[in-house]
Amino acid sequence: QVAEEEGVSLTMYLFNKLIQCAAIRSDVSEAERWFRRATARGLEPDEMSYRQLLDACIKMNDVDAADRWWRHAVENGLADELSKTATRELKQLSVACSGTGKLRSATTWYRRALKGGVEPDEEFLTSLFEATAKIGDLQAAESWYREMVARGIKPDGEVFNLLVKTAADAGNLPAAERWFSEMLQAGALPEPSTVAKLIEVAANS
């Protein structure tokens, strides 16, 4: 309001800065409010507008809001441009979804990231794998393991140990034994804690 009184032209650039300030404070509601005020004035949002909204959603771990704003960007024809500039946000959202047990959403964000030019390297895929393993999601962990292998990445001992532990924690003895066997075949060494987990689940089966 003060800016208008001083005769300052309110551009999308200025509103993007306001959205960014809200995102820095992890305030999704305020970021959305500035976005809507801009569009109510007839201003056209650009990829930076949506990128700042995604950033706010990430900081609040609100993946549902992030997906809603992504679809909004798609409707405005900005998805392709956004996917090329928001690679960091796309990677973070895929990992965030993996860490909350939302494999389908994680896979969707992963594909969006790849479309934007993100390289499915060992660091990225390991992050996705570890996020699912740490919450005990064996199905998702196995899915990301297969993606790693399909991308030509050789899983290390840490990956196999996590798979055995995840299966054991789930009480899935056949899966735990299978991953233990694959670990040995791959030449990876089991950690003492992994062996202890396997013995424990076998004793309780």
Side-chain angles (χ1 to χ4, degrees), residues 140-188:
E142 290 178 333
S143 177
W144 290 121
Y145 168 86
R146 289 191 293 270
E147 179 67 8
M148 291 172 71
V149 173
R151 295 287 178 178
I153 297 171
K154 183 179 179 181
D156 58 16
E158 184 177 356
V159 169
F160 283 112
N161 276 285
L162 273 173
L163 282 166
V164 176
K165 290 177 182 178
T166 302
D169 286 339
N172 191 333
L173 179 59
E177 291 178 331
R178 172 168 53 84
W179 285 116
F180 189 83
S181 176
E182 290 201 27
M183 175 167 53
L184 297 180
Q185 291 176 14

Side-chain angles (χ1 to χ4, degrees), residues 6-7 16 24 48 54 72 76 78 98 113 115 118 121 133 151 154 156 163 168 184 192-193 195 204:
E6 294 296 328
N16 282 346
I24 291 173
M48 183 55 69
L54 290 180
H72 198 283
N76 282 341
L78 292 170
S98 291
K115 185 177 180 180
V118 171
D121 55 19
R151 295 287 178 178
K154 183 179 179 181
D156 58 16
L163 282 166
L184 297 180
S193 58
V195 176
N204 293 329

